[in-house]
Amino acid sequence: MKLTILGCYAATPRTISNPTAQVLEVKNHLFLIDCGEGTQVQLRKNKIKFSRINHIFISHLHGDHFYGLVGLISTFMLLNRDKDLHVYGPKGIKEIILLQLRASGSYTGYNLYFHELVSKESEVIFEDEKAIVRTIPLKHRVYTNGFLFQEKNIKRKLNLEAVESYKIDTCYFQKLVYGGDMKLDDGRIIPNAELTFDPEPEKSYAFCSDTVYNEEIIPIIKDVNFLYHETTFLESEEHLAEKTMHTTAKQAAKIAKLANVKALIMGHYSTRYGSLEPFKAEAKTIFNNVILADDGKEIEL
């Protein structure tokens, strides 16, 4: 897994910072998570191929999280895209995007699928042989979801020493890595566990967009490798966090600790602050493994 932060600041774009958007690479999937203004420019700056993005996840319908979407969809059209594009987001996103496209006389030359979300319970919204994506219901001023991305590692690793000792032909390797036992020419059955090692541990990443402090998400994100959690305010502005339904650095750290995550990635900072270091300092009083997101930052998960 690799995470590229395209934008991680709250509210309006600035010449030195961008609103929320990030790209998560999972087993050759490139998932775009939120799409604030300037996302296209940030994709180009970070040399991310537009053509590899087939799934876009929108947390909620506040402008700093999706105003870049119609522009990106239009650019895909100008680039003669022909692959299907899937957009997952709150009910209403289809109406908004199609209205903009119709009003401008723009029509995609590719299939555009909207998967509108309404459930207030966690649900699986994407799954294939490589990954699974679930929603994380959040509490904000409008209907909002975070997203939990989990790898699927079903292929086992060959124990080459054991395989060679039984003189097993390479044509059977595919069967072995998918868990099959081996029947030798003399009739003996060699159990798979003797010929392979367990798969690599499956990695997980939880994206928690705008939300008030909410311990109800803890069972969903329990033990994830990396948690991105909004930290709009410092503790001195906790009253603003409560009023606007956002979170402070300390509150996000408390969620990380209670959920036993391996690392906390902080973001969605209010632009009122001149430095990000106080966010890290406050969070580390509660949870030690803290990473500051910043525009253009790549994080190997």
Side-chain angles (χ1 to χ4, degrees), residues 9-292:
Y9 289 81
T12 59
R14 300 183 298 170
T15 58
I16 58 172
S17 66
N18 296 273
T20 302
Q22 50 186 246
V23 171
L24 180 68
E25 184 171 359
V26 183
K27 292 182 175 291
N28 292 321
H29 282 305
L30 274 192
F31 295 133
L32 177 62
I33 310 169
D34 277 350
C35 190
E37 289 179 74
T39 294
Q40 293 186 70
V41 175
Q42 289 297 94
L43 287 169
R44 293 188 186 279
K45 280 185 177 179
N46 289 276
K47 297 180 171 56
I48 295 170
K49 290 185 177 180
F50 286 32
S51 60
R52 291 189 59 198
I53 297 172
N54 300 318
H55 301 272
I56 300 175
F57 299 86
I58 302 297
S59 62
H60 64 297
L61 297 181
H62 279 165
D64 56 332
H65 293 262
F66 91 106
Y67 277 176
L69 181 58
V70 69
L72 183 60
I73 288 172
S74 297
T75 295
F76 283 150
M77 176 185 63
L78 295 173
L79 294 176
N80 297 315
R81 180 190 180 99
D82 56 11
K83 289 192 295 184
D84 295 351
L85 180 66
H86 295 264
V87 177
Y88 308 78
K91 183 175 178 58
I93 194 168
K94 178 178 180 179
E95 180 184 2
I96 293 169
I97 297 301
L98 293 185
L99 174 63
Q100 291 175 301
L101 292 176
R102 282 196 298 268
S104 63
S106 301
Y107 299 93
T108 62
Y110 55 90
N111 293 321
L112 180 57
Y113 297 102
F114 290 93
H115 306 265
E116 294 196 307
L117 308 176
V118 297
S119 177
K120 294 185 179 180
E121 303 293 329
S122 180
E123 60 180 339
V124 173
I125 56 174
F126 172 84
E127 183 174 11
D128 67 2
E129 72 281 0
K130 298 177 181 179
I132 183 169
V133 184
R134 293 178 173 86
T135 58
I136 306 171
L138 301 174
K139 292 184 177 180
H140 193 43
R141 301 192 303 276
V142 296
Y143 175 78
T144 305
N145 283 300
F147 303 103
L148 174 61
F149 301 84
Q150 295 172 294
E151 287 182 334
K152 283 186 176 181
N153 288 343
I154 60 173
K155 292 178 69 174
R156 301 179 63 81
K157 298 173 67 177
L158 286 175
N159 181 339
L160 292 177
E161 185 177 339
V163 168
E164 290 171 1
S165 71
Y166 287 106
K167 297 181 171 55
I168 296 173
D169 193 274
T170 57
C171 68
Y172 296 107
F173 285 4
Q174 189 78 348
K175 175 184 178 181
L176 293 176
V177 298
Y178 282 102
D181 296 332
M182 186 67 210
K183 184 176 182 179
L184 303 181
D185 292 340
D186 61 10
R188 285 181 294 161
I189 304 294
I190 310 301
N192 185 272
E194 189 175 330
L195 300 171
T196 65
F197 299 112
D198 289 339
E200 292 287 341
E202 295 173 331
K203 297 173 186 173
S204 53
Y205 172 68
F207 169 84
C208 288
S209 173
D210 299 16
T211 182
V212 73
Y213 178 80
N214 178 20
E215 293 185 6
E216 292 177 15
I217 69 173
I218 290 171
I220 304 171
I221 65 173
K222 189 75 173 175
D223 298 324
V224 299
N225 295 97
F226 286 80
L227 165 66
Y228 176 95
H229 197 292
E230 73 122 289
T231 52
T232 306
F233 296 106
L234 296 174
E235 201 66 13
S236 56
E237 282 73 46
E238 184 180 2
H239 63 289
L240 292 179
E242 184 177 354
K243 178 181 178 181
T244 60
M245 300 192 74
H246 283 295
T247 310
T248 67
K250 277 190 175 181
Q251 289 172 338
K254 186 177 179 182
I255 291 290
K257 184 175 182 178
L258 291 172
N260 193 40
V261 307
K262 305 301 184 292
L264 169 65
I265 304 173
M266 307 170 74
H268 200 266
Y269 318 107
S270 169
T271 55
R272 71 183 58 230
Y273 303 107
S275 170
L276 301 183
E277 287 304 318
F279 286 90
K280 189 172 187 177
E282 287 197 355
K284 284 176 74 69
T285 63
I286 294 175
F287 184 81
N288 189 54
N289 194 5
V290 175
I291 300 169
L292 287 173

